Amino acid sequence: VKVSGRNVVVGTPEGCCFDRRNTDITRSGAVMLAAACSLTASDPLATPPRPVKGFIKVFVANEGAPDDLVTLEQFFRTPAGTATLAKSGTPKDVSLLSTRRSNDVLFAKIRDRGEPEAPGISSLFWRAFFETNDRLVGLALISFSGANPSDTEALNYLNDFANRTRRLNPVAAPPPAPLPPDGTNTEG
């Protein structure tokens, strides 16, 4: 997906496909839905992904992450930050239950008491945030009611998603340094 002039390739775990019918690119970024390939019509005979009984909402922001994940985590603990985690945009609808940082990914376990995105959606979900190709990427693992994965399963699944995405977006080499004004090469 191209967001504000930057291409970001988002990699899905095995058995998970993007639903191209539900991709939206706006000035603030891109939002995509990924689910079992059998549900997205990409591959109706595909094996469902482990352990997800629900879907993944992916957001690619039009800008990078704050200076570090600690800053982002602290922001999510403020009313303005909690509002960004809420489906309704209302901080009182959300409880930030726990956070973890690992491998340059911030994980957040959330309970959202706001209106669910669809009938049968659990109010409990995990989010993951990381930067790739100079863009903040957010993932939300949204499960069906009564089918929440364990914390370990959710963390492993989101970490796999983040790692696959990062591998598909190699870090570009910095541009070469300009030559000195007289055009001489000073590197041996």
Side-chain angles (χ1 to χ4, degrees):
V1 66
K2 191 168 194 168
V3 178
S4 295
R6 296 275 182 154
N7 286 318
V8 175
V9 180
V10 181
T12 61
E14 187 176 333
C16 190
C17 296
F18 283 105
D19 184 349
R20 304 265 183 235
R21 300 165 296 181
N22 287 305
T23 297
D24 190 21
I25 299 173
T26 67
R27 285 188 303 190
S28 62
V31 177
M32 302 167 281
L33 293 180
C37 295
S38 57
L39 298 176
T40 64
S42 296
D43 185 356
L45 302 177
T47 304
R50 49 118 187 100
V52 177
K53 292 186 175 92
F55 58 94
I56 301 282
K57 192 175 203 177
V58 180
F59 178 74
V60 181
N62 66 356
E63 55 192 41
D67 294 335
D68 58 38
L69 294 178
V70 173
T71 303
L72 185 61
E73 182 178 2
Q74 289 170 344
F75 171 69
F76 287 147
R77 295 189 185 284
T78 68
T82 305
T84 66
L85 296 172
K87 290 180 281 228
S88 66
T90 305
K92 69 177 180 58
D93 286 345
V94 171
S95 297
L96 183 58
L97 303 176
S98 67
T99 59
R100 299 177 192 189
R101 291 182 309 275
S102 177
N103 300 322
D104 292 323
V105 180
L106 171 63
F107 300 96
K109 187 176 184 179
I110 299 162
R111 180 169 311 278
D112 192 323
R113 292 171 297 284
E115 190 66 34
E117 294 176 290
I121 298 296
S122 175
S123 64
L124 185 67
F125 60 98
W126 277 94
R127 305 262 323 247
F129 302 91
F130 59 97
E131 190 170 50
T132 193
N133 203 9
D134 225 14
R135 295 290 174 258
L136 178 64
V137 178
L139 308 172
L141 176 54
I142 302 168
S143 302
F144 298 121
S145 294
N148 289 321
S150 70
D151 288 353
T152 300
E153 289 171 325
L155 291 167
N156 287 339
Y157 191 77
L158 290 170
N159 194 53
D160 186 24
F161 213 118
N163 285 335
R164 287 173 185 259
T165 298
R166 283 198 222 149
R167 279 194 301 270
L168 292 169
N169 295 277
V171 176
L179 289 175
D182 64 1
T184 60
N185 184 351
T186 58
E187 292 182 24

